[in-house]
Amino acid sequence: MHNSDLIRKMSTEYADYLFDESRTMGSADFIAFPANEAELAEVIRRCAEDGIPLTAQGALTGLAGGASPERGLVLNLQRMNRILGMRKDADGTVYVRVQPGLRLAQLRRALAVKDFDVRGWDGQSVEVLKEISPGQLFFPPDPTEPTASLGGMASCNACGARSVQYGCTRAHIHALRVVLADGRIASLERGVQRAEGRKIRLPLTDGSILEAELPPFETPDIKDAGFFIRQDMDLVDLFIGSQGTMGIISELELKLMLAPKHLWGVTAFFPDDECALSYVRAVKGRPDPGVPRFPRPAASIEFFDKNALDMVQRQKAVTPAFRQLQELPEDYCSAVYVELNDDDPAGMPEVLEALSAVLRATGGDPDRTWVARDALELEQLLFFRHSVPETIDLIVEENRKNEPCITILSTDMAVDDGHFDELFHIYKRDLEASGLHWIIFGHIGENHVHPNILARNRQEYEQGHRIFEKWAEDVHRMGGSISAEHGAGKIKRRLALTMYGPERMRQLRTLKRTFDPQGILGPGNIFPPEITEGGEQA
Amino acid sequence: MKIHVCVKQVPASNETLLDPVTHTIIREGTQSILNPFDAYAVEEAVRIKARCGGTVTAFTMGIPAAEGILRRVIAVGADDAVLLTDRAFAGSDTLATARTLAAAIRKKGMPDLILCGKMATDGDTAQVGPMLAECLSIPHISDVAEIESVNEEKCTVRKMTDDGYVRLEVRLPALLTVLKEINIPRLPSVSGVLRGEKAGVGRMTREDLGIDPETTGLKGSATRVVSTERPVPARETVWIEGTPEAQAGQLKALLREEKIC
């Protein structure tokens, strides 16, 4: 492959593009920053001609190494960051078309303050924009990292805190344009291009058709990062969650929702984890005996264990930006953040009265809470939530100075409501027995907290992986998913093998080969080496 | 110790929003919040009350809906609150606002200490606090970064200046305007919010204050806003690309061109 304006030889200048937030260090020979779909397709065509593997990157905020390249070319999509237009359907639902490198925070800001660069928009889009007011519409998925790119979120089917009410990213993607491994382009709309049973006829923009057969099984119902396989499925879903192994997303059409007029957040502190779990069950509408029913569904429920709170407290002493964090109450143990929304603020006192009763009945205390009722106050609670992964980043970066093989070791396994308590206690028992540094925080509302292991050396790092593999088996037994939102990427591909089993993994590989015969897309993602050995790349 | 805090309701964002299609200013949908600087004054008042005992009373002048921010102040620990609301107050500039607040504070009884935020994020004038002190004929210290000690007689503070900090002592009653570095304002608790919602908020009109209509509102204002406009960015960002050597070369040429080096 030749060096050109579009495809450049890798050099030290681009060293920051060899790893994502998980710190999975990769390697690459070339890098490209396409600015539009035509350039993106051109890069992929040239890779296909020369048999060069390529790894797509959005904002590099992934936690499983999905965007860390494993040889070949880095396909960085950060320049494809425009909002391309809008449309409204007959029901009044508004859709926005974006490029994959657009960051969630940019989209949120554009919608919140109605600040769009309308150059190049068609007349219909401008007319739709005229009718909307600032903050009227929002895109619900809420991964902890708002600088994530929309393409990246689709690629790993990110969920985030609000998925308890609104579902994952998949539920909010209406249409996709995807560049396939040979540079051809598919334009797919939910409800229009579907599989017939297990037969796929994928129409391409050049008039050709790609035929394939779906594997004879269905992927887990509990969350679905990784492949999504169903009879009669929408073909857009093949490319959501599959981490750049089936095709590269060049454009997304996102379904927007009416934003709730008022959003409140409440962080409550509990004397132990059992009280916190009881509170979570109550706000989810499944109160323990003797606990009053909470009348309002929560938009998000987040958990922080004592280790997570202690870790942030320690970091507060050394990181100036963290000094604005709220003071924790004395004798804190665990905390739960609940987000509530409503169109009428007049109902808030009643909801808070109900919450007070639930707090008292579950061992909490209405005085030991933080309430946020406007954008600035909510920012503080979200800042607190975000300080946990930020601190993990800082600690992992520090630990890597001793042992460069260390990456973020964060899990996002999910089970159904009936199995969550069992899984939570397995996490705690195994971690307490391990002697490792660990914390548990995350999206408890949807039963996928993030136990994180903060390995200090190679031995601890390997021990962490072994614990994760054991949990993958536990979760598989409970019918859950090994990755609810981060994707398997490279760090968790062995866990994906546990979940799918070798036979199904091979069937998925066969499906991938139909789309990507040379195996150039997303090398190393999802498929572990034993599935790809024998001279064939995944 | 009797402490008064003056607060203001401001738009949540100080960003002027222009409609990308019509290029007109967007006014709808802007949430109102407690002026962020005032939250530090409220927090400091509540902390002093916790140390020294006493009461904290909040004052604001505004439309009837401004009662909401007073309930928020009660939610984080103020004991009571007074809303100055009357059509006669509309259009007040900083001087008319200070005169009206001064009348209310006299009416309510002079406190030992008055705390204000450094300024409001909508007007950015930082004038009302010092003007209020002058109207009440009490000393004031602006830009206070720390209250080192306080009792009913006097107060020692660290004030930020252009060159650093100065330590000042002031006899009470006095007024202080506080900076963001003075504390971290607490968020209210669930119980606090419910207390705020149930609390009675006092209201005062021009007649209650017994002030001359010529001294408040637009009539009592010494200044007039002639026009407002959004500043047009006069600077352009130039992106330099290429290898580090090429970038350095281009930067050097640009600096020469601009006669910076």
Side-chain angles (χ1 to χ4, degrees), chain B residues 103-127:
Chain B
I105 286 171
R106 281 206 194 92
K107 191 92 183 166
K108 192 83 181 165
M110 274 301 283
D112 300 300
L113 187 63
I114 301 174
L115 294 174
C116 301
K118 175 196 175 186
M119 62 185 189
T121 53
D122 56 353
D124 281 10
T125 67
Q127 291 170 359

Side-chain angles (χ1 to χ4, degrees), chain B residues 17-255:
Chain B
L17 308 180
L18 285 185
D19 190 298
V21 182
T22 61
H23 302 291
T24 53
I25 292 177
I26 301 169
R27 296 178 195 280
E28 62 199 79
T30 317
Q31 216 181 357
S32 293
I33 56 165
L34 172 66
N35 172 37
F37 284 100
D38 298 346
Y40 296 87
V42 172
E43 176 66 29
E44 202 58 25
V46 172
R47 289 185 186 197
I48 294 171
K49 183 182 107 172
R51 284 203 306 271
C52 308
T55 57
V56 174
T57 304
F59 290 79
T60 195
M61 186 173 98
I63 56 174
E67 186 181 298
I69 60 150
L70 291 176
R71 296 194 181 283
R72 284 172 176 244
V73 173
I74 293 171
V76 290
D79 298 282
D80 62 350
V82 181
L83 171 65
L84 313 180
T85 188
D86 196 316
R87 284 185 183 280
F89 301 152
S92 291
D93 68 357
T94 51
L95 179 61
T97 303
R99 279 195 199 121
T100 311
L101 282 168
I105 286 171
R106 281 206 194 92
K107 191 92 183 166
K108 192 83 181 165
M110 274 301 283
D112 300 300
L113 187 63
I114 301 174
L115 294 174
C116 301
K118 175 196 175 186
M119 62 185 189
T121 53
D122 56 353
D124 281 10
T125 67
Q127 291 170 359
V128 172
M131 280 178 172
L132 173 58
E134 291 304 315
C135 291
L136 293 168
S137 305
I138 57 172
H140 80 270
I141 302 174
S142 58
D143 299 332
V144 171
E146 186 187 357
I147 297 179
E148 293 182 347
S149 67
V150 59
N151 58 38
E152 287 181 357
E153 305 283 306
K154 63 182 182 183
C155 169
T156 309
V157 305
R158 205 157 56 86
K159 170 189 161 76
M160 185 189 268
T161 69
D162 288 344
D163 307 315
Y165 293 91
V166 288
R167 177 177 290 131
L168 296 172
E169 193 178 278
V170 63
R171 258 185 298 110
L172 301 189
L175 182 147
L176 309 177
T177 74
V178 303
L179 298 176
K180 279 186 169 184
E181 65 180 84
I182 197 164
N183 58 44
I184 298 162
R186 75 193 68 186
L187 286 169
S189 66
V190 170
S191 329
V193 172
L194 291 172
R195 190 169 56 244
E197 291 300 319
K198 289 171 192 161
V201 170
R203 289 198 177 196
M204 286 184 175
T205 60
R206 187 192 61 77
E207 266 185 32
D208 295 331
L209 298 180
I211 53 175
D212 181 348
E214 298 298 317
T215 62
T216 186
L218 201 57
K219 281 187 191 165
S221 294
T223 55
R224 289 280 182 281
V225 177
V226 179
S227 72
T228 54
E229 59 192 60
R230 189 179 189 172
V232 180
R235 293 180 188 185
E236 196 188 342
T237 304
V238 178
W239 292 97
I240 300 173
E241 293 190 21
T243 62
E245 290 79 8
Q247 287 183 38
Q250 280 186 61
L251 180 61
K252 189 174 161 192
L254 283 169
L255 292 173

Side-chain angles (χ1 to χ4, degrees), chain A residues 284 413-417 420 423 443-449:
Chain A
K284 282 179 74 173
M413 301 182 188
V415 291
D416 60 16
D417 283 348
F420 179 70
L423 180 62
H443 315 313
I444 201 165
E446 284 245 282
N447 306 322
H448 59 105
V449 290

